[in-house]
Amino acid sequence: VGAAHSACTVVWRNNTLASRGVQNVAETGSTTAIQSEFTAANVLSQFRGGLIFPGTGSSTASFTVNRYYPLVSALSMIAPSPDWIVGVDSYSLCTGNQWTAKATIPLYAWDAGTDSGLNFESLNLPTSPHQVIAPLDSNSPRSTSFKTGNPPVSLGSFIFTRTSVDGTKNGTDPKCSKCQATTTRPAATTKPTTPPPTTAPTYSVGGACP
C-alpha cells in the first residue's frame, strides 16, 4: 500500500515511531487505518497492490504524481512476521527536472517497533512502549532471522514505471522544473491548484519477490 505525497507528509521513516496505520500493516497486513491516514494527510493519490503468496511473484498498482506531490512512499507486510515490513520512504519521481521513466528500488526488512517477536513465526508479544522503526540486519537485536551478514539481502523490489503523461500512453518526458518537494511545502490541509496536464504522469508500481 502506498501514496503519492508532498514533503510535508511522512508515511513511515527510519528512527521514527510507527503510526497506527503502519503498525496494522506490519502486524496484520490490514490497510484500512493507513488509507485513512493517507486521506487525512491529503495525499494526491493512493494505491494498494495484491497479496504475494506464498512468497514469490509480483503485484501491480497505478497512481499519479504531479509537481507538488512528486514523492511516493509504500510499504508491505512481511508475512508471517511479528511486525516486519519492506518499503520505500519518500522516493522522488522527479529527478534532474524530469519525470523518472523507470526506477527499481531494492527492498530490505524493517522492524516497525510494535512487536518484540524475534522470528517469522513468533507469537504476539506487544512492545511497550513502542520502539522506533529500525532496519533488520545482522547487527539487529530485534530478530534472529536476518543474520545474513552485511549488506543485508534484498527481499524483492519496487519497480516504478511511468506509463502515461496526462493519460497519454508512453508520453514524452515532461519538464518538472517546478517540483518543490524539498524547498516549498504546500500546507498539509490544502491541496494546491492542479498544475498543467503535462506535469501529471501516471505510474505503475510492481512489487516483485525473487
Side-chain angles (χ1 to χ4, degrees), residues 189-207:
T189 57
T190 304
K191 188 174 294 184
T193 302
T194 303
T198 55
T199 63
T202 298
Y203 282 84
S204 68
V205 53

Side-chain angles (χ1 to χ4, degrees), residues 1-6 9-12 21-22 25 29-39 41-50 59-65 69 71-77 86-91 93 158 160 203-207:
V1 64
H5 58 88
S6 69
T9 296
V10 174
V11 175
W12 73 277
V22 171
V25 171
S30 172
T31 63
T32 302
I34 198 168
Q35 288 181 286
S36 294
E37 292 172 1
F38 290 159
T39 300
N42 203 30
V43 302
L44 177 67
S45 59
Q46 51 182 287
F47 56 91
R48 186 177 68 171
S59 177
T60 301
S62 296
F63 63 97
T64 299
V65 295
Y69 295 82
L71 308 179
V72 59
S73 292
L75 67 155
S76 179
M77 176 189 184
V86 294
V88 59
D89 166 30
S90 301
Y91 183 81
L93 290 167
F158 280 153
F160 297 103
Y203 282 84
S204 68
V205 53

Side-chain angles (χ1 to χ4, degrees), residues 140-167:
S140 174
R142 301 190 191 182
S143 169
T144 58
S145 299
F146 289 93
K147 304 300 183 182
T148 56
N150 288 311
V153 175
S154 171
L155 301 181
S157 60
F158 280 153
I159 303 171
F160 297 103
T161 305
R162 195 187 69 231
T163 56
S164 64
V165 178
D166 188 34

Side-chain angles (χ1 to χ4, degrees), residues 50-60 155-157 159 206-210:
L51 175 68
I52 298 177
F53 184 82
T56 59
S58 62
S59 177
T60 301
L155 301 181
S157 60
I159 303 171
C209 293

